[in-house]
Amino acid sequence: MAPNTWEQMDGKTLLETLQQYCVREGISDIHTSPEKEFVRFEVRIHGVLEPLAHIKQQTYIDFVRHVKFAARLKMNITNIPQDGQYTFEGTMQNAQGSPERWTVNIRVAIIPSRFGETLTLRLLDPRRGIVPLDQLGFPESMKQQLADVMKHANGLFLVTGPTGSGKTTTLYALLQTLIGTKRNITTLENPIEYEIGGIVQSQIDPDHDFTFASGLRSLLRHDPDIILVGEIRDLETAQTAIDASLTGHLVLSTLHTNSSIEAIPRLLSMGVSPYTFGPALRGILAQRLVRTLTEPCRAPGAQCDPRDSKSYGGRTVIAELLIATTEIQNLVLQNETAQQIEEAARKQGFTSMREMGLTLVKQKITSMSEVERVTS
């Protein structure tokens, strides 16, 4: 859709059309940036921010009003941040030509800026957020290792990476493999991004002292077998999760680190006990998402520009999986360095995200510039 088409719409039509455009094109985020003469609209597709249109200030004011109304935010407040969410019905024709409808959740974040309120709208589309493990792009050997970790009755398994690297999608995919295995599965999330049948999902509320740490302590009284803790942010949550994993529970969680091995010194630096962390650890998966080349760009002799977004048509994962063997657990127990842990892991077959990325480059699935973008 051409930028001038967007500019001709009123605020309500702009929002409604933009929502359907985003679900059709697989866009994950909408960003607005008010400037003196216009408002810049950008969208994140396949992890990269792309320009969409310049919208007139008056149209944008109407657009913001409709967003606030949908998210039940205060209309007359423009000088402080506001957060909210709302849902809309996504529609698209299926392969048979019949209309298909589903519910999409949008998380709204607003902050004041020099020339007006800046909005970020994150689309949580269940068609893209709930994906079977087989479709995420993990190599067969890694999928088998992940399946083996999920068979453990107890222990701690972490997924690491920056925001937008697919951590939640991977964890949901792992949980789906466990549904129906006669185990009680419960999550603590902030917020609940996608609804999954067959498990109990709980959303934390820090304003009422329902945090990851306090929620986890309460949750242990509900006889869970498998627990997903949305994120480990502090020592209390980390140590509580470790203690839970040592008392008959399989605990899954996320952490913001650049690599799988870096997660170990990060948690130790928080203050967790190596005497409990070492025996509890089952594995750490670090991952990123890279854009995948279109079929024409994969053809022999194709001259596609890796800097051009049109050269890409989707995304796939590149990952590294550290399995906590007895040797690795002992190194954690002894508070050894990340370098020593990596040396031991490589002897057991560990490979890095970058090495997996280079394999995908050789297979013409992605480009070297994509691997550099997410791993440098």
Side-chain angles (χ1 to χ4, degrees):
M1 192 174 291
N4 61 349
T5 306
W6 299 111
E7 293 174 355
Q8 295 168 5
M9 299 177 184
D10 59 47
K12 181 181 180 182
T13 305
L14 176 61
L15 177 60
E16 292 173 350
T17 307
L18 188 53
Q19 289 172 166
Q20 298 302 328
Y21 174 76
C22 287
V23 296
R24 188 170 65 247
E25 298 298 323
I27 290 165
S28 61
D29 300 85
I30 304 166
H31 293 258
T32 70
S33 303
E35 299 188 9
K36 191 172 184 178
E37 303 295 333
F38 56 84
V39 179
R40 191 173 71 251
F41 272 56
E42 296 169 305
V43 293
R44 191 174 298 279
I45 181 167
H46 306 320
V48 177
L49 206 60
E50 300 284 354
L52 181 73
H54 288 173
I55 303 298
K56 295 177 182 177
Q57 285 280 2
Q58 194 57 45
T59 302
Y60 179 65
I61 291 171
D62 189 36
F63 174 85
V64 172
R65 186 170 62 85
H66 282 92
V67 170
K68 285 185 171 182
F69 180 79
R72 298 181 179 181
L73 300 178
K74 295 178 180 178
M75 297 284 192
N76 60 331
I77 300 296
T78 61
N79 61 342
I80 59 173
Q82 293 194 72
D83 297 305
Q85 62 180 357
Y86 68 95
T87 62
F88 72 93
E89 189 177 75
T91 60
M92 187 184 297
Q93 284 191 338
N94 58 26
Q96 290 73 40
S98 302
E100 184 180 341
R101 295 179 173 83
W102 67 99
T103 300
V104 180
N105 184 273
I106 287 190
R107 285 160 55 184
V108 180
I110 305 178
I111 60 171
S113 66
R114 183 180 181 187
F115 295 111
E117 292 180 287
T118 295
L119 272 65
T120 299
L121 309 181
R122 167 153 289 188
L123 282 81
L124 301 175
D125 188 338
R127 299 177 313 146
R128 301 182 184 277
I130 302 177
V131 183
L133 190 64
D134 284 343
Q135 297 178 19
L136 293 181
F138 292 107
E140 286 299 324
S141 59
M142 193 174 290
K143 282 193 290 185
Q144 185 57 54
Q145 287 178 307
L146 289 169
D148 291 342
V149 170
M150 293 301 107
K151 291 176 183 176
H152 282 286
N154 57 64
L156 177 67
F157 179 75
L158 300 171
V159 181
T160 78
T163 301
S165 60
K167 299 187 298 296
T168 300
T169 301
T170 295
L171 285 171
Y172 279 175
L174 291 172
L175 288 182
Q176 283 186 297
T177 68
L178 299 170
I179 294 172
T181 58
K182 297 184 179 180
R183 289 195 278 179
N184 183 338
I185 305 171
T186 308
T187 73
L188 291 170
E189 304 176 60
N190 184 29
I192 295 172
E193 296 194 4
Y194 304 102
E195 295 178 6
I196 304 176
I199 68 176
V200 176
Q201 294 175 273
S202 182
Q203 182 165 309
I204 68 166
D205 184 1
D207 291 339
H208 295 88
D209 199 30
F210 184 32
T211 63
F212 283 125
S214 65
L216 183 52
R217 289 194 300 271
S218 298
L219 186 57
L220 293 174
R221 294 191 285 271
H222 288 260
D223 189 31
D225 297 298
I226 300 162
I227 304 168
L228 168 63
V229 180
E231 185 180 349
I232 291 177
R233 299 176 180 174
D234 53 50
L235 173 59
E236 186 181 9
T237 305
Q239 192 62 60
T240 306
I242 290 169
D243 293 342
S245 70
L246 289 172
T247 55
H249 309 89
L250 180 61
V251 180
L252 316 180
S253 192
T254 70
L255 196 66
H256 289 282
T257 61
N258 291 324
S259 71
S260 55
I261 292 172
E262 283 181 33
I264 294 172
R266 172 67 61 83
L267 284 171
L268 291 173
S269 69
M270 280 185 182
V272 301
S273 165
Y275 305 106
T276 54
F277 181 30
L281 187 62
R282 293 286 178 258
I284 305 172
L285 176 76
Q287 67 176 64
R288 302 288 188 279
L289 296 175
V290 292
R291 292 181 294 176
T292 53
L293 293 166
T294 61
E295 287 298 329
C297 288
R298 297 183 192 184
Q303 298 296 316
C304 295
D305 184 352
R307 297 168 297 181
D308 187 352
S309 61
K310 294 179 181 178
S311 298
Y312 304 95
R315 287 197 290 178
T316 193
V317 70
I318 61 172
E320 59 187 38
L321 177 59
L322 176 69
I323 295 296
T325 61
T326 301
E327 182 181 0
I328 298 297
Q329 289 178 327
N330 285 335
L331 290 173
V332 176
L333 194 63
Q334 296 161 16
N335 210 354
E336 297 290 0
T337 66
Q339 182 179 349
Q340 290 170 306
I341 294 171
E342 181 174 355
E343 288 173 358
R346 284 195 175 277
K347 291 176 183 177
Q348 299 169 11
F350 173 84
T351 56
S352 69
M353 278 185 292
R354 184 178 180 84
E355 288 166 328
M356 180 178 170
L358 294 176
T359 299
L360 297 187
V361 172
K362 291 177 182 177
Q363 296 171 346
K364 295 189 175 180
I365 293 174
T366 191
S367 66
M368 191 64 211
S369 62
E370 272 296 286
V371 176
E372 293 282 358
R373 180 177 68 85
V374 302
T375 64
S376 61

